[in-house]
Amino acid sequence: MTKRTTTHHSPASWLAGVTLGLGLLATAAHAGGAIESVTGYVQGGAEVLRIELSEPLAQLPAGFAIQSPARIALDFPNVTNALGRSLVEINQGNLRTANVVEVGGRTRVVLNLKQATSYKSELQGNSVIVSLDPAGSVSASASSVAPSALPAAAASTDVTALKDLDFRRTTDGAGRVVLQLGSSDVGVDVQQQGKDLVLDIPRTALPEGLRRRLDVTDFGTPVQTITAEQRGERVRVTIKAVGDWEHSAYQSDQQFVVEVRAKKVDVNKLAQGPTYTGEKLSLNFQNIDVRSLLQVIADFTNFNIVTSDTVTGALTLRLKDVPWDQALQIIMDAKGLGMRKTGTVLWIAPKDEIDARTKKDLEAADAIKKLEPLRSQAFQLNYAKATDLVAQLTGGSLPGASAGGGSSNKFLSERGSVMAEPRTNQLFVTDIGSKLEEVAKLIQSLDVPVRQVMIEARIVEASDTFGRSLGVRLGGGDLRAQKGGDGGYGLFGGNRVAIGTDYTNATNSSGFGGPVNVGGNFVNMPAALSGVTGTGSFALSIFNSAANRFLTLELSAMEADGQGKIISSPRLVTADQTKALIEQGTEIPYNVTAPNGATTIAFKKAVLKLEVSPQITPEGNIILNLDVNKDSVGQVTEQGVAIDTKHVTTQVLVENGGTVVIGGIFELEETNQVNKVPLLGDVPIVGNLFKNTTKTANKREMMVFITPKVISDRGPVR
C-alpha cells in the first residue's frame, strides 16, 4: 500500500521559532535597503503578494516551499525589517499571514498558506512581486523567473540531468540526502511505501556515474541504503530506513534535501490522551483573570466565546507550542469549567451550571413530547411481514397484536401504538411526528429483499476391492480289492495296509467293505473368495495300466478386482439466515412393542439429507451451518434391517462460489488367510499341495463437497 506523505519542515532552526507571541529584535542595519510594506491582493484570479523595499534589488531573492505546513520562504540578504512588526495579517485567498524575521544580516519573509502551491517571483522597481499558482495545481516547488526569462511552461518540457546525489549525517543523528537537480522548475514527489521512502523526479535523466547503490549503515542514522535508478523519463531514488522514523523535505532553488531522523518521545509533552488538532500557540501569564485569558483564545481562534457571569478567578500558566483546543481544555479543567458548542459559538460556564442547563433543556423537550399531538400513518411493506415489524417496534412477544403505551415499547414513544394488517401487509403507526419519521427510516432499512443462496453438495463414495485365492484338492483310490485282487500294500509278516480318503473308503479299499468311493479327497482346500463364484482350475490324474489305482491333483486359483463410485448431489436455494432442508431415501418398517404388549409398526428413515442455514457476511463471504446425513440399508438382523449411516455436522466460512471439503471418511480393510494341513502344509514347496491361501483388500472413502453461491438480483446462478 502506498502512503503519500507531506510532512515537510523548514531547513533553518531559527524559522521554527516563529510562533504566536514570539517577537524578534532587529539586528544592526546593513547596507542594501529595508522592507517597508507587505501587502496581498488578487489580480486576474490569482493571489499576489507585493513586497516594497526602500531600494531596488540586484537579483531575485532565493526561496523554497514546503508542503506541511504550507509555506513559502524568501531570503533577502543585507535587507532589514522596517515594518516595526514581524506578523502581517493578509487573509486573502490562499494567503493567510506573512512573517518577516530579521536574523544574521538577512531578512526572511515566510508566507503562511492554506494549501501548498507553487509560485513565481519577479522584480518591479523597488518591489518584489510573488504570484501564487492556484492551490493544488502543481506540487509546491520554488520557481524564480526574471522579467526577460521564458515562461515556466515552455521550459518544463525539457529533460534535465541529475547533477549529484550525496548523503550526510547531521549533528542530531539524522540522515540527510542531498539531490542537485538540473533545474529549479523540477518538482520532487515524495512517497512513503511501507518502510521505504521513494523520491520520484520527473523529466530527469540519471547519469551513469550516479546509477549506484549507497550503503550508509556505518553513519549510524536510520537510513541504511540509497538506490538511484532510471525509470522512463523519471529518476527514482529509494531510501531504505529502519526503526521508527520520520522525515522532512524541502527544496531551495536546484537543491532538494530529505532528512530522515528517529522519532523521539517528548516526556514533557502535555497532549497525552485525546488528540488535539488546533493551531499551536504559546501562553505565558502570571495571575491573569480567567475571563481575560478566554478572550485571548477567542481572538486567536476567531471563535465567539460567551462566558457565564459565574466564571471568576485568576490563573497562572506557561504553555509553549500547545494546540489551542488543548490549552482551552487545560484552562477549563483547572477552574472546573465546562463547554457547550453551537456552530462557532462556545458557551463556557461551571460544569454544574452546564449540567443543570442541559437537564432543564432535556426536561423541557420531554414535556413538549408529551403535549405534542399524535398523528397516524400507514406504511405499505413489500418484503417484510407486518406482524414481524410490530414485535420489533414494540418489543412484544405476540407479533401482529396491537400494542400501545407501556414499558414494552422499545422504539415508539409512551403514547405511540402500532397495528399490523396481515391481509394487505400494511403497518399502521400512531405517534408524534418525530417518531413517525424514525419509523419511516427504520422501515426503509428493514423492508428490503433478502438475498438468496444456492447450496450445492456433492457426496462422493468410492470403493476399491481386491482379492486373490490359491487352493488345492488331492484325492486317490485303490480298486484292486473291488476287482478281485489284493487291496492295499504289503508289510512285514504277511500284513497289508489299505489307504483311503476316510475310514469307510480305507475299509472298502482293503476288500472288507463295499465299493470304494473314488470321489473322496485327501486334501480339499479349493480357492474361494467371498461373494465370487467360479474359479480357474487345473487337474491331473496318475493311474496304473490296469486302471485300478490312481492319484488325482487339482489346483485352483481366483483373483477379483473391483472399483465403484457413488455420487449424490443434492442442491437447494434458501434465503439469507433461513434454515432449509432437503432429503431423499427410504423409510424402513420395524416392529415396536407397545406398553400394553401389543405390537405396532414404526418406520425409520434411511435417507440422504442436507440441512443448511446460510449467513452472508458484509464482505460477501458465506457462513454455513451444515448437517449432512447419508444413510443406506445395511445387514438384515433378527430384530430387523440395520441402517448404515454417515453423518457430518459443522460450521464453515466459504467465499462466494468457492468449494470446501467439509469431511471425509476413509476405510482400509486388509486380510491374509492361510488354511493348511498341519505339518504337511509347512513342508517347503511340497507343502503348497496341502494348504489354501487367500488375500483380500477393501478400500472405501467418502468425501463431502459444499459449494455456496449468492444469487444476484439479475437472476439465478447456474
Side-chain angles (χ1 to χ4, degrees):
M1 180 177 180
T2 301
K3 177 183 179 183
R4 185 177 300 274
T5 59
T6 57
T7 304
H8 304 275
H9 304 280
S10 171
S13 60
W14 51 267
L15 180 60
V18 181
T19 57
L20 180 68
L22 180 63
L24 297 177
L25 298 178
T27 60
H30 297 270
I35 297 178
E36 296 180 342
S37 66
V38 178
T39 57
Y41 57 92
V42 177
Q43 182 178 359
E47 291 86 11
V48 179
L49 183 77
R50 177 182 291 272
I51 304 175
E52 295 283 352
L53 295 97
S54 61
E55 300 178 6
L57 297 178
Q59 59 182 5
L60 285 169
F64 62 90
I66 59 178
Q67 293 180 312
S68 181
R71 290 174 180 170
I72 296 174
L74 301 174
D75 285 337
F76 296 82
N78 300 324
V79 174
T80 61
N81 180 13
L83 297 176
R85 64 185 189 279
S86 61
L87 180 63
V88 180
E89 296 284 348
I90 299 176
N91 294 323
Q92 184 71 53
N94 194 25
L95 281 169
R96 299 177 58 189
T97 60
N99 293 101
V100 183
V101 183
E102 180 185 351
V103 173
R106 63 173 177 171
T107 297
R108 172 167 290 184
V109 179
V110 181
L111 307 181
N112 299 309
L113 311 177
K114 298 179 181 178
Q115 298 182 30
T117 183
S118 60
Y119 73 95
K120 301 179 184 65
S121 60
E122 59 178 322
L123 297 175
Q124 291 185 0
N126 294 355
S127 303
V128 177
I129 306 299
V130 182
S131 302
L132 304 183
D133 293 335
S137 59
V138 295
S139 61
S141 60
S143 174
S144 300
V145 182
S148 61
L150 293 176
S156 63
T157 59
D158 298 335
V159 177
T160 60
L162 186 66
K163 296 180 180 180
D164 193 18
L165 172 61
D166 193 14
F167 178 81
R168 305 168 188 172
R169 187 182 188 274
T170 63
T171 56
D172 59 350
R176 176 179 293 173
V177 182
V178 182
L179 302 177
Q180 293 293 339
L181 306 177
S183 173
S184 60
D185 296 330
V186 178
V188 181
D189 185 18
V190 183
Q191 298 182 7
Q192 184 176 340
Q193 299 181 357
K195 283 293 186 180
D196 300 339
L197 193 63
V198 178
L199 312 180
D200 281 332
I201 312 171
R203 307 186 308 277
T204 303
L206 183 64
E208 289 293 337
L210 298 180
R211 299 185 181 184
R212 59 181 184 246
R213 179 177 179 270
L214 302 179
D215 190 348
V216 295
T217 307
D218 295 339
F219 284 83
T221 69
V223 181
Q224 301 296 298
T225 61
I226 304 171
T227 306
E229 55 185 340
Q230 186 74 48
R231 294 205 177 177
E233 293 187 354
R234 60 189 175 95
V235 174
R236 170 164 288 189
V237 179
T238 303
I239 303 173
K240 292 186 176 295
V242 296
D244 194 8
W245 51 269
E246 59 185 0
H247 76 277
S248 61
Y250 60 88
Q251 181 175 343
S252 179
D253 293 332
Q254 298 180 6
Q255 187 181 73
F256 188 85
V257 180
V258 178
E259 293 185 358
V260 180
R261 56 175 46 86
K263 288 186 177 181
K264 297 181 180 180
V265 179
D266 187 4
V267 296
N268 298 320
K269 188 176 181 181
L270 297 178
Q272 298 179 359
T275 302
Y276 300 98
T277 60
E279 190 174 351
K280 294 183 178 180
L281 56 77
S282 298
L283 300 173
N284 189 357
F285 296 101
Q286 185 173 1
N287 199 25
I288 185 177
D289 184 70
V290 176
R291 303 174 69 89
S292 301
L293 188 57
L294 294 175
Q295 184 61 41
V296 172
I297 297 178
D299 295 338
F300 178 78
T301 60
N302 292 326
F303 271 90
N304 300 312
I305 296 181
V306 179
T307 307
S308 175
D309 295 337
T310 55
V311 176
T312 58
L315 189 65
T316 299
L317 77 166
R318 180 181 180 274
L319 303 176
K320 184 178 180 180
D321 294 336
V322 177
W324 73 265
D325 47 353
Q326 184 184 7
L328 179 60
Q329 187 64 45
I330 293 173
I331 296 171
M332 292 191 301
D333 292 342
K335 304 302 292 185
L337 304 177
M339 178 182 64
R340 289 180 61 179
K341 182 179 179 183
T342 305
T344 60
V345 179
L346 301 179
W347 179 50
I348 297 178
K351 291 183 179 180
D352 295 340
E353 184 176 342
I354 291 181
D355 294 341
R357 178 68 62 85
T358 303
K359 182 179 179 181
K360 287 183 179 180
D361 294 342
L362 294 176
E363 291 176 351
D366 187 62
I368 293 175
K369 288 183 179 180
K370 294 181 179 180
L371 299 177
E372 187 176 353
L374 300 179
R375 293 166 45 197
S376 297
Q377 186 173 349
F379 298 93
Q380 179 64 57
L381 304 181
N382 298 318
Y383 305 100
K385 292 184 179 180
T387 54
D388 295 340
L389 283 184
V390 168
Q392 294 177 345
L393 292 175
T394 64
S397 59
L398 299 176
S402 177
S407 60
S408 63
N409 288 0
K410 66 177 184 178
F411 198 85
L412 303 177
S413 65
E414 295 181 357
R415 298 184 296 156
S417 63
V418 58
M419 182 184 69
E421 173 54 43
R423 186 177 61 87
T424 59
N425 200 33
Q426 291 189 82
L427 205 65
F428 298 91
V429 182
T430 301
D431 212 326
I432 60 178
S434 59
K435 283 295 181 179
L436 291 179
E437 294 178 359
E438 295 178 5
V439 170
K441 294 180 180 179
L442 177 65
I443 292 177
Q444 186 178 3
S445 301
L446 298 180
D447 190 26
V448 294
V450 180
R451 290 185 293 178
Q452 300 184 94
V453 182
M454 182 180 70
I455 299 96
E456 181 178 1
R458 294 180 68 86
I459 305 173
V460 181
E461 295 181 270
S463 62
D464 188 356
T465 60
F466 176 80
R468 177 183 294 168
S469 180
L470 299 175
V472 63
R473 295 173 62 185
L474 180 64
D478 189 356
L479 301 179
R480 289 178 298 174
Q482 186 175 338
K483 294 183 177 183
D486 294 332
Y489 300 91
L491 295 177
F492 55 89
N495 297 318
R496 303 180 69 82
V497 58
I499 301 174
T501 57
D502 56 22
Y503 177 83
T504 301
N505 205 1
T507 301
N508 296 341
S509 298
S510 65
F512 181 77
V516 178
N517 180 19
V518 297
N521 297 305
F522 295 111
V523 179
N524 188 13
M525 298 179 180
L529 289 176
S530 179
V532 181
T533 59
T535 61
S537 62
F538 174 78
L540 58 87
S541 181
I542 302 175
F543 55 93
N544 60 352
S545 59
N548 53 15
R549 288 182 298 170
F550 58 92
L551 181 66
T552 303
L553 175 65
E554 180 187 82
L555 300 177
S556 59
M558 179 186 301
E559 183 174 313
D561 191 0
Q563 294 181 346
K565 182 184 294 183
I566 301 175
I567 299 178
S568 304
S569 183
R571 67 176 63 184
L572 54 84
V573 177
T574 182
D576 184 22
Q577 302 187 30
T578 302
K579 181 184 293 186
L581 170 67
I582 184 174
E583 63 180 14
Q584 181 262 334
T586 305
E587 290 191 352
I588 301 174
Y590 63 97
N591 295 327
V592 177
T593 302
N596 57 1
T599 302
T600 60
I601 298 178
F603 293 88
K604 188 174 183 179
K605 293 182 177 180
V607 298
L608 169 65
K609 183 184 72 173
L610 173 62
E611 183 178 316
V612 59
S613 296
Q615 177 184 347
I616 304 175
T617 66
E619 296 83 5
N621 299 327
I622 304 171
I623 299 176
L624 299 176
N625 292 311
L626 291 164
D627 188 354
V628 183
N629 199 71
K630 180 68 170 65
D631 298 337
S632 60
V633 179
Q635 297 179 355
V636 179
T637 64
E638 296 180 356
Q639 291 76 23
V641 180
I643 298 176
D644 299 332
T645 182
K646 301 178 179 68
H647 191 195
V648 178
T649 301
T650 185
Q651 183 185 80
V652 294
L653 174 64
V654 194
E655 64 180 3
N656 183 23
T659 300
V660 62
V661 181
I662 66 169
I665 300 175
F666 178 77
E667 298 179 46
L668 175 61
E669 182 181 351
E670 293 182 343
T671 304
N672 290 310
Q673 183 176 354
V674 178
N675 301 320
K676 62 183 178 180
V677 178
L679 300 179
L680 296 178
D682 297 329
V683 179
I685 302 176
V686 181
N688 292 323
L689 300 177
F690 300 94
K691 64 182 177 182
N692 167 272
T693 303
T694 303
K695 180 180 181 181
T696 60
N698 297 324
K699 299 179 182 178
R700 293 179 296 274
E701 186 174 12
M702 185 193 75
M703 304 291 290
V704 181
F705 302 85
I706 299 294
T707 303
K709 298 178 182 178
V710 179
I711 300 178
S712 63
D713 297 336
R714 297 185 298 250
V717 178
R718 297 183 179 180

